[in-house]
Amino acid sequence: MKAAFYTLGCKVNQYETEYMSELLKNAGFEIVSPNEDADYYIVNSCTVTATADQKTRQNIRKFKRKHPDSAVILTGCMPQAFPAEASALTEADIVLSNKNDNDILKLINEYNQSKSRVINIDAHKTGDEFKKCSISDFNDRIRAFVKIEDGCDRFCSYCIIPKSRGRVRSKKPDDLKTEIGALAAHGIKEIVLVGINLSAYGKGESFNIIDAVKICNDTEGIERIRLGSLEPDHITDEIIEKLAAFEKFCPQFHLSLQSGCDKTLKSMNRHYTANEYKQLCDKLRSTFQDTSITTDVMVGFHEESEDDFYSSLEFVKSIKFEKVHVFPYSEREGTAASKRGDSVPKQDKEKRAAIMIDKTEKIRKEYLKELIGKNVEVLFENEIENGTYQGYTKSYLPVRIKSDETLIGKILTVKIKSYCDEFCIAE
């Protein structure tokens, strides 16, 4: 039997796809590309925006249209947040929520026996424990995402995630240690610790994010450790000081900003001011050599005026992020903000997004230009084409180089020669 996965959304979803993939492989399934013929097509959905929901529906229907005799499975965040809408997608033969994706094999067997649709959506509840899950490989790559936290308790006014992911819960350190050891044994050299609210790892427990980094740092074979997206108000001086002591830690920080305007931040129910955010960035840059700070910025949130937008823009420019992900506000039913209405016209959102992207891309190019002639350390991960290898610096900058010998899995010091929009070229 063949199964193909199509994954939308964040690094946590990518981890969960790998987890389900291993479950199926251990049961004798062959995992193939979604472009190939398969008996099962699994869409691991994201629901953070309306666009993500649209992509989910499109792909469910596409797979059923192209492969009418195959079973289509819908899982991930969309069924969890919007069970009625997910169940109404009749092209999906099996619908299950992210809470019970470890039951995927059982549900496939149930579908095969009943020859009828299977819908299994279990709501998250307060007090749920972290679901046992681990992987031993990551699609034959050098770098692996490892989920150590799930859920979020922040309730930002625009965000559906608490509904689609439940409350904060964390992987036990002993389970993480076993998983990291298995990944190292399979040739993984870089670990990216990820979670829905990663910086809340260990909330209510006797451990925290530092314990997770230490486990990776102490594991033989692991050469680098990164952290996924972080909430800025959770990063204390003590955490910064302890992170700086880990030899393998990569000082690349993705700090979710959302807006540089205090009025908008308050409306979003974010728990910091623009100035507090700036102080954190200054602290990180003074503590870590060659640190990299990236972020997400939303434009067109409820009642964001032109002045609010330009206030946010000027703040973003002042931080000089290495990279910025810009996206327009998308109203999500069931959030606090949805009760207020979507007051910014679509054309204004698109215009503001274009302006923000243009300004932040110019800053990124200035950053890349300054790297020309510098020596950087790169962990090479894959061969892009014959003789051209790609890897990443500690600051997560993609670098390509030509070589007559394989570089996969090697850490080399190279000199940056030039750059383009997506990567640098080195020798």
PDB file of all heavy atoms in Angstrom, residues 387-398:
ATOM      1  N   GLY A 387      26.750  18.735  -8.375  1.00  0.00           N
ATOM      2  CA  GLY A 387      27.902  19.531  -7.976  1.00  0.00           C
ATOM      3  C   GLY A 387      27.585  20.811  -7.236  1.00  0.00           C
ATOM      4  O   GLY A 387      28.503  21.540  -6.852  1.00  0.00           O
ATOM      5  N   THR A 388      26.306  21.122  -7.009  1.00  0.00           N
ATOM      6  CA  THR A 388      25.935  22.322  -6.252  1.00  0.00           C
ATOM      7  C   THR A 388      25.232  21.902  -4.967  1.00  0.00           C
ATOM      8  O   THR A 388      24.197  21.247  -5.002  1.00  0.00           O
ATOM      9  CB  THR A 388      25.015  23.252  -7.074  1.00  0.00           C
ATOM     10  OG1 THR A 388      25.696  23.674  -8.250  1.00  0.00           O
ATOM     11  CG2 THR A 388      24.632  24.478  -6.255  1.00  0.00           C
ATOM     12  N   TYR A 389      25.826  22.293  -3.848  1.00  0.00           N
ATOM     13  CA  TYR A 389      25.317  21.896  -2.543  1.00  0.00           C
ATOM     14  C   TYR A 389      24.779  23.108  -1.783  1.00  0.00           C
ATOM     15  O   TYR A 389      25.288  24.221  -1.928  1.00  0.00           O
ATOM     16  CB  TYR A 389      26.424  21.220  -1.725  1.00  0.00           C
ATOM     17  CG  TYR A 389      26.862  19.910  -2.324  1.00  0.00           C
ATOM     18  CD1 TYR A 389      27.852  19.868  -3.312  1.00  0.00           C
ATOM     19  CD2 TYR A 389      26.274  18.710  -1.933  1.00  0.00           C
ATOM     20  CE1 TYR A 389      28.239  18.675  -3.892  1.00  0.00           C
ATOM     21  CE2 TYR A 389      26.666  17.505  -2.497  1.00  0.00           C
ATOM     22  CZ  TYR A 389      27.639  17.486  -3.479  1.00  0.00           C
ATOM     23  OH  TYR A 389      28.014  16.298  -4.054  1.00  0.00           O
ATOM     24  N   GLN A 390      23.740  22.858  -0.967  1.00  0.00           N
ATOM     25  CA  GLN A 390      23.171  23.934  -0.166  1.00  0.00           C
ATOM     26  C   GLN A 390      23.202  23.572   1.307  1.00  0.00           C
ATOM     27  O   GLN A 390      22.947  22.436   1.692  1.00  0.00           O
ATOM     28  CB  GLN A 390      21.725  24.233  -0.564  1.00  0.00           C
ATOM     29  CG  GLN A 390      21.061  25.310   0.305  1.00  0.00           C
ATOM     30  CD  GLN A 390      19.767  25.826  -0.279  1.00  0.00           C
ATOM     31  OE1 GLN A 390      19.761  26.520  -1.286  1.00  0.00           O
ATOM     32  NE2 GLN A 390      18.654  25.497   0.362  1.00  0.00           N
ATOM     33  N   GLY A 391      23.511  24.584   2.106  1.00  0.00           N
ATOM     34  CA  GLY A 391      23.489  24.424   3.548  1.00  0.00           C
ATOM     35  C   GLY A 391      23.104  25.735   4.198  1.00  0.00           C
ATOM     36  O   GLY A 391      22.727  26.696   3.518  1.00  0.00           O
ATOM     37  N   TYR A 392      23.215  25.771   5.536  1.00  0.00           N
ATOM     38  CA  TYR A 392      22.782  26.953   6.270  1.00  0.00           C
ATOM     39  C   TYR A 392      23.852  27.384   7.264  1.00  0.00           C
ATOM     40  O   TYR A 392      24.519  26.553   7.885  1.00  0.00           O
ATOM     41  CB  TYR A 392      21.479  26.671   7.017  1.00  0.00           C
ATOM     42  CG  TYR A 392      20.304  26.512   6.086  1.00  0.00           C
ATOM     43  CD1 TYR A 392      20.053  25.287   5.460  1.00  0.00           C
ATOM     44  CD2 TYR A 392      19.458  27.576   5.803  1.00  0.00           C
ATOM     45  CE1 TYR A 392      18.989  25.135   4.590  1.00  0.00           C
ATOM     46  CE2 TYR A 392      18.388  27.428   4.935  1.00  0.00           C
ATOM     47  CZ  TYR A 392      18.158  26.203   4.332  1.00  0.00           C
ATOM     48  OH  TYR A 392      17.106  26.063   3.467  1.00  0.00           O
ATOM     49  N   THR A 393      23.970  28.693   7.420  1.00  0.00           N
ATOM     50  CA  THR A 393      24.833  29.242   8.446  1.00  0.00           C
ATOM     51  C   THR A 393      24.135  29.100   9.798  1.00  0.00           C
ATOM     52  O   THR A 393      22.968  28.728   9.876  1.00  0.00           O
ATOM     53  CB  THR A 393      25.116  30.727   8.184  1.00  0.00           C
ATOM     54  OG1 THR A 393      23.884  31.460   8.300  1.00  0.00           O
ATOM     55  CG2 THR A 393      25.699  30.947   6.796  1.00  0.00           C
ATOM     56  N   LYS A 394      24.830  29.454  10.863  1.00  0.00           N
ATOM     57  CA  LYS A 394      24.202  29.430  12.178  1.00  0.00           C
ATOM     58  C   LYS A 394      23.033  30.402  12.251  1.00  0.00           C
ATOM     59  O   LYS A 394      22.094  30.201  13.013  1.00  0.00           O
ATOM     60  CB  LYS A 394      25.234  29.750  13.260  1.00  0.00           C
ATOM     61  CG  LYS A 394      26.208  28.615  13.543  1.00  0.00           C
ATOM     62  CD  LYS A 394      27.070  28.925  14.751  1.00  0.00           C
ATOM     63  CE  LYS A 394      27.931  27.719  15.123  1.00  0.00           C
ATOM     64  NZ  LYS A 394      28.749  27.983  16.324  1.00  0.00           N
ATOM     65  N   SER A 395      23.089  31.473  11.448  1.00  0.00           N
ATOM     66  CA  SER A 395      22.000  32.452  11.428  1.00  0.00           C
ATOM     67  C   SER A 395      20.893  32.050  10.455  1.00  0.00           C
ATOM     68  O   SER A 395      20.009  32.848  10.161  1.00  0.00           O
ATOM     69  CB  SER A 395      22.542  33.834  11.069  1.00  0.00           C
ATOM     70  OG  SER A 395      23.141  33.827   9.785  1.00  0.00           O
ATOM     71  N   TYR A 396      20.943  30.825   9.968  1.00  0.00           N
ATOM     72  CA  TYR A 396      19.936  30.242   9.082  1.00  0.00           C
ATOM     73  C   TYR A 396      19.878  30.940   7.722  1.00  0.00           C
ATOM     74  O   TYR A 396      18.815  31.099   7.118  1.00  0.00           O
ATOM     75  CB  TYR A 396      18.546  30.243   9.731  1.00  0.00           C
ATOM     76  CG  TYR A 396      17.624  29.215   9.109  1.00  0.00           C
ATOM     77  CD1 TYR A 396      17.971  27.875   9.075  1.00  0.00           C
ATOM     78  CD2 TYR A 396      16.406  29.586   8.564  1.00  0.00           C
ATOM     79  CE1 TYR A 396      17.141  26.934   8.501  1.00  0.00           C
ATOM     80  CE2 TYR A 396      15.559  28.656   7.985  1.00  0.00           C
ATOM     81  CZ  TYR A 396      15.934  27.332   7.958  1.00  0.00           C
ATOM     82  OH  TYR A 396      15.098  26.407   7.373  1.00  0.00           O
ATOM     83  N   LEU A 397      21.025  31.321   7.241  1.00  0.00           N
ATOM     84  CA  LEU A 397      21.137  31.904   5.907  1.00  0.00           C
ATOM     85  C   LEU A 397      21.468  30.785   4.920  1.00  0.00           C
ATOM     86  O   LEU A 397      22.469  30.082   5.101  1.00  0.00           O
ATOM     87  CB  LEU A 397      22.236  32.965   5.887  1.00  0.00           C
ATOM     88  CG  LEU A 397      22.483  33.668   4.555  1.00  0.00           C
ATOM     89  CD1 LEU A 397      21.331  34.606   4.232  1.00  0.00           C
ATOM     90  CD2 LEU A 397      23.794  34.434   4.589  1.00  0.00           C
ATOM     91  N   PRO A 398      20.641  30.585   3.875  1.00  0.00           N
ATOM     92  CA  PRO A 398      20.950  29.538   2.899  1.00  0.00           C
ATOM     93  C   PRO A 398      22.156  29.918   2.038  1.00  0.00           C
ATOM     94  O   PRO A 398      22.234  31.048   1.541  1.00  0.00           O
ATOM     95  CB  PRO A 398      19.672  29.429   2.062  1.00  0.00           C
ATOM     96  CG  PRO A 398      18.965  30.722   2.256  1.00  0.00           C
ATOM     97  CD  PRO A 398      19.349  31.250   3.594  1.00  0.00           C
TER      98      PRO A 398
END
